[in-house]
Amino acid sequence: MIYKFLICSPYTHGVGLIYSAFVLNKALSLRAMARFLRNISSLKRSLFAPEVFRVEVLGSSSQLCNFSSKGRRKSKSDGSDSSEENMSKKDLALKQALDQITSSFGKGSIMWLGRSASPRNVPVVSTGSFSLDVALGIGGLPKGRVVEIYGPEASGKTTLALHVIAEAQKQGGYCVFVDAEHALDPALAETIGVNTENLLLSQPDCGEQALSLVDTLIRSGSVDVVVVDSVAALVPKGELDGEMGDAHMAMQARLMSQALRKLSHSLSLSQTILIFINQVRSKLSTFGGFGGPTEVTCGGNALKFYASVRLNIRRTGLVKKGEETIGSQVVVKIVKNKLAPPFKNAEFELEFGKGISREGEIIDLATKHKFVTKAGSFYTFNEQKIQGKEALKIFLAENENAREELVMKLREKLLEAESKKGRQTDTLDEDTSEEIVSTDTTDEEAVTAVEA
């Protein structure tokens, strides 16, 4: 007890320490006495340096406080990490990767497809043709996608694009027409139903200017439809600055490839339909030999890959009234469709100066599906006999209720036919013969082979 008192008491006088050491000399051995003297010397140093002792004591106390606070923090984090402990290492690593991507690139940069709030059905704009809307499978052209309409001259490419603009304006949208060919007829656009006062028109000097203003308008997110007429007329600036006859290898293809790379992301954000009207050229050298591609489109191959829908429109005949030719019969082949089964056809009439004859295609479809019976030149509809197709067109144009009744019946019939066709396809026997088309052929040859 005396030993412990001498060690722990900082107020013991020096004389008392020596006296106590002398008293205990008899009881302790020499080895214990040496250890005791070392303790006394360390005690004297602490007596002569009290500030250092206090600092060391305070330091040890602060370390104890830090240790206790760390323990409290650890106990709190144990509750939050309990859910992570239940996760597997693979799930935990994925969660950390997703958090890192979100913090680096922002919310929405990566998401779960089925858990996102995006609409399941793609919003569309009607093409102005009932049969073409049905053939597309989704009711029109999809928003936020690239669409290519191509075909030979005077086949109705611009007319079809103007119908899409008219339908988009009916929904209250803003539309842009980039007239690179400098050949737009305002009278035809107004006759089709386009509100020319609310239609933005641009006639650019070169291809770079046209695609730059298209990029600016799409990034604004305020336009619904942009039509570029046409890809073949998007002349690069380098070609305009050069001399006549200079060779500019693949300059237009590089321009289109760069523009589509930049536009694809902003299109999906702004939900704008970008329609490229394209021309066709005869291909003289066919590397595939006999049966190879005979026609190619302008602007390289980039547009074929970026387009979600490709429409090939061609004139198949003329519509005559007596000796006068009043229109043309056209067929639209859906060469590519990312949202529904492709390789379907739609036939309708194009009246000169008026556009798509909606009443004419309704009559043709209703006659085909027996909703309207035809006997000679007489058409029977709802027990009414009308002589001549033109008279029936006028009747449907004046009676909106009768026209909508026919449209509803046709839509139900066509949807039912599609569902039956799908069920029959699932229950086909294994012995059904299939024709394999060579992948070396173009889209047009593939459609022809499938039809044959």
Side-chain angles (χ1 to χ4, degrees), residues 405-416:
E405 180 184 352
L406 265 180
V407 169
M408 291 297 296
K409 290 181 179 179
L410 286 171
R411 184 175 285 111
E412 292 176 0
K413 180 72 174 180
L414 292 172
L415 290 176
E416 182 182 357

Side-chain angles (χ1 to χ4, degrees), residues 2-13 17 43 46-47:
I2 297 173
Y3 178 79
K4 292 180 180 179
F5 176 78
L6 292 174
I7 295 297
C8 297
S9 176
Y11 304 101
T12 305
H13 198 267
L17 289 172
L43 184 59
S46 64
L47 288 174

Side-chain angles (χ1 to χ4, degrees), residues 249-418:
M249 186 65 67
M251 188 178 293
Q252 190 181 38
R254 290 196 298 269
L255 175 63
M256 285 295 298
S257 180
Q258 182 184 10
L260 289 169
R261 284 197 301 269
K262 294 182 64 177
L263 290 171
S264 59
H265 176 65
S266 55
L267 272 176
S268 62
L269 295 179
S270 62
Q271 293 294 297
T272 303
I273 301 177
L274 179 57
I275 301 175
F276 283 102
I277 298 175
N278 209 345
Q279 301 175 5
V280 293
R281 299 286 186 266
S282 297
K283 189 171 184 180
L284 299 179
S285 60
T286 56
F287 297 100
F290 179 76
T294 58
E295 287 184 349
V296 292
T297 54
C298 303
N301 293 326
L303 186 55
K304 296 179 182 179
F305 292 96
Y306 281 95
S308 296
V309 176
R310 299 186 71 217
L311 305 177
N312 183 4
I313 181 170
R314 292 180 181 273
R315 183 170 57 188
T316 58
L318 298 175
V319 179
K320 291 188 176 183
K321 186 178 181 181
E323 296 296 328
E324 181 185 2
T325 303
I326 61 173
S328 59
Q329 186 78 19
V330 299
V331 57
V332 178
K333 299 178 181 180
I334 303 173
V335 175
K336 180 182 178 182
N337 193 352
K338 286 187 175 181
L339 302 169
F343 303 119
K344 293 185 178 180
N345 298 340
E347 295 184 9
F348 50 84
E349 295 179 2
L350 286 180
E351 295 183 359
F352 297 149
K354 296 181 180 179
I356 298 174
S357 176
R358 187 172 177 84
E359 289 78 15
E361 65 174 344
I362 291 175
I363 292 171
D364 293 338
L365 289 173
T367 305
K368 180 180 178 181
H369 295 284
K370 308 300 182 182
F371 294 116
V372 174
T373 58
K374 181 182 178 182
S377 61
F378 287 90
Y379 291 86
T380 305
F381 172 66
N382 287 343
E383 298 180 354
Q384 294 183 359
K385 282 189 176 182
I386 301 173
Q387 184 177 7
K389 189 175 181 180
E390 292 298 324
L392 185 56
K393 285 182 182 179
I394 297 173
F395 173 78
L396 293 178
E398 294 176 352
N399 296 274
E400 186 177 354
N401 294 331
R403 186 176 69 249
E404 292 300 323
E405 180 184 352
L406 265 180
V407 169
M408 291 297 296
K409 290 181 179 179
L410 286 171
R411 184 175 285 111
E412 292 176 0
K413 180 72 174 180
L414 292 172
L415 290 176
E416 182 182 357
E418 289 292 329

Side-chain angles (χ1 to χ4, degrees), residues 153-164:
E153 71 282 355
S155 56
K157 302 183 293 296
T158 305
T159 303
L160 181 59
L162 289 175
H163 273 281
V164 176

Side-chain angles (χ1 to χ4, degrees), residues 125-129 141 149 156-170 175-179 183-196 199-201 225-229 275 277 313 350 353-356:
V125 173
S126 174
T127 59
S129 169
L141 299 180
I149 303 173
K157 302 183 293 296
T158 305
T159 303
L160 181 59
L162 289 175
H163 273 281
V164 176
I165 290 177
E167 295 295 328
Q169 287 182 339
K170 290 178 183 178
C175 302
V176 183
F177 194 93
V178 181
D179 186 19
L184 178 64
D185 185 7
L188 175 63
E190 291 180 354
T191 305
I192 288 174
V194 177
N195 185 3
T196 55
L199 176 66
L200 292 171
L201 175 66
V225 177
V226 177
V227 177
V228 179
D229 187 15
I275 301 175
I277 298 175
I313 181 170
L350 286 180
K354 296 181 180 179
I356 298 174

Side-chain angles (χ1 to χ4, degrees), residues 22-253:
F22 179 77
V23 172
L24 291 173
N25 190 17
K26 295 181 181 180
L28 298 174
S29 63
L30 292 176
R31 187 174 180 181
M33 188 64 184
R35 189 186 301 114
F36 182 67
L37 290 174
R38 285 196 299 271
N39 291 333
I40 291 175
S41 63
S42 62
L43 184 59
K44 285 182 179 180
R45 286 195 299 270
S46 64
L47 288 174
F48 288 108
E51 294 179 359
V52 177
F53 180 78
R54 294 191 188 97
V55 170
E56 290 177 357
V57 172
L58 290 174
S60 60
S61 62
S62 63
Q63 289 175 0
L64 290 173
C65 292
N66 291 333
F67 182 78
S68 62
S69 63
K70 287 180 182 178
R72 287 193 298 270
R73 285 197 300 268
K74 186 176 181 181
S75 62
K76 290 180 181 179
S77 63
D78 287 342
S80 62
D81 293 344
S82 59
S83 60
E84 295 184 356
E85 290 177 357
N86 296 329
M87 300 170 64
S88 64
K89 292 183 179 180
K90 188 175 180 180
D91 295 338
L92 184 59
L94 178 60
K95 183 178 181 301
Q96 292 175 353
L98 295 178
D99 293 341
Q100 183 179 357
I101 292 172
T102 303
S103 61
S104 300
F105 302 105
K107 187 178 180 180
S109 56
I110 187 168
M111 64 190 76
W112 297 100
L113 178 60
R115 307 176 193 175
S116 59
S118 59
R120 298 301 179 97
N121 297 325
V122 179
V124 297
V125 173
S126 174
T127 59
S129 169
F130 176 76
S131 58
L132 184 55
D133 290 343
V134 173
L136 285 168
I138 55 175
L141 299 180
K143 290 186 177 181
R145 304 296 183 98
V146 179
V147 179
E148 182 185 9
I149 303 173
Y150 69 96
E153 71 282 355
S155 56
K157 302 183 293 296
T158 305
T159 303
L160 181 59
L162 289 175
H163 273 281
V164 176
I165 290 177
E167 295 295 328
Q169 287 182 339
K170 290 178 183 178
Q171 299 178 5
Y174 291 100
C175 302
V176 183
F177 194 93
V178 181
D179 186 19
E181 293 183 353
H182 299 258
L184 178 64
D185 185 7
L188 175 63
E190 291 180 354
T191 305
I192 288 174
V194 177
N195 185 3
T196 55
E197 294 182 357
N198 291 332
L199 176 66
L200 292 171
L201 175 66
S202 174
Q203 293 180 334
D205 299 328
C206 60
E208 287 85 355
Q209 179 183 346
L211 295 173
S212 296
L213 66 90
V214 167
D215 185 25
T216 304
L217 289 170
I218 290 175
R219 288 180 184 274
S220 67
S222 57
V223 294
D224 295 298
V225 177
V226 177
V227 177
V228 179
D229 187 15
S230 63
V231 175
L234 296 177
V235 186
K237 190 175 182 181
E239 186 174 343
L240 288 174
D241 296 339
E243 296 293 333
M244 192 70 69
D246 291 347
H248 302 278
M249 186 65 67
M251 188 178 293
Q252 190 181 38

